[in-house]
Amino acid sequence: MFIGKAVWTYMGVDHPIVQNWTGTWSALTFAAVFGFIAIKLTEKTGFPGIWDEKISNNERFLYPVLLGLGFALVEILVGLAMNLPNIHVAFPLSIPVYLSGGIFLEILYHLIPVVFLIWLVSDILLKGKYQTEVFVVVAILASLWEPVMQITGMYQMGMLPGMGFAAGLFIFIFAGNLIPITLFRKYGFLAPVIWRLTDYSLWHVIWPMIYY
């Protein structure tokens, strides 16, 4: 994360995604510190460790890659349906931006809130009970944050052609959060990171080079 931030800061990347991104140095430091603590709490809160021997490499790498490619293809189709302009950071600076951004977002949006909330509610308040039920509630709440923010912003900018499309897009973005959280629960934190980076590689890096 820090290397990517240093690269695009040094290169003076001038793009709305970078300008509006929450990846300030303080935010990156926050993500690194609390992400490290969250990793230490993963097994206590019912998640596999990063290198859990019970998780196969297919589960840790192959399945997330396939899901990431599939999700990116749907994103491409949605972008074509909306006739989106080129909203992506140009290659080659797209590589450090989306590499570091993908890792950062998985830590900030999923690892930290999901692990800490399960630890607080299930382990501390409920004395280790109802961990699965707490996970389901937390996963749904964590998955709602991004679609609510994005759909609200797109509505305000007049980018939504209709309520049906908005509802479908909301569900799609919701799925884009629930999928990595589910991968995290089943296969450990590397799985959602691989999923995110695969998705970003096709949607944000490769596709713009082909289409625009």
Side-chain angles (χ1 to χ4, degrees), residues 45-68:
T45 48
F47 294 88
I50 287 183
W51 297 111
D52 193 318
E53 294 181 355
K54 297 177 183 177
I55 306 300
S56 69
N57 284 331
N58 283 344
E59 294 169 327
R60 187 177 287 117
F61 297 109
L62 179 60
Y63 299 164
V65 166
L66 294 176
L67 286 170

Side-chain angles (χ1 to χ4, degrees), residues 75-171:
E75 284 179 308
I76 290 171
L77 294 176
V78 171
L80 291 173
M82 295 180 64
N83 196 27
L84 287 179
N86 187 359
I87 60 174
H88 313 276
V89 176
F91 182 85
L93 291 176
S94 56
I95 295 177
V97 168
Y98 294 113
L99 175 62
S100 56
I103 296 171
F104 173 76
L105 291 180
E106 278 304 314
I107 294 173
L108 191 66
Y109 282 11
H110 300 148
L111 174 64
I112 293 175
V114 171
V115 169
F116 274 97
L117 282 173
I118 293 175
W119 173 74
L120 176 62
V121 176
S122 178
D123 288 22
I124 302 300
L125 298 180
L126 299 178
K127 308 299 182 182
K129 298 178 181 178
Y130 306 110
Q131 194 175 81
T132 299
E133 291 81 358
V134 172
F135 165 75
V136 171
V137 173
V138 169
I140 292 173
L141 292 176
S143 299
L144 284 171
W145 169 255
E146 186 178 5
V148 168
M149 297 300 294
Q150 286 203 20
I151 295 300
T152 300
M154 294 174 72
Y155 175 78
Q156 292 172 345
M157 292 185 288
M159 296 177 63
L160 299 173
M163 291 303 297
F165 186 88
L169 188 59
F170 184 96
I171 294 171

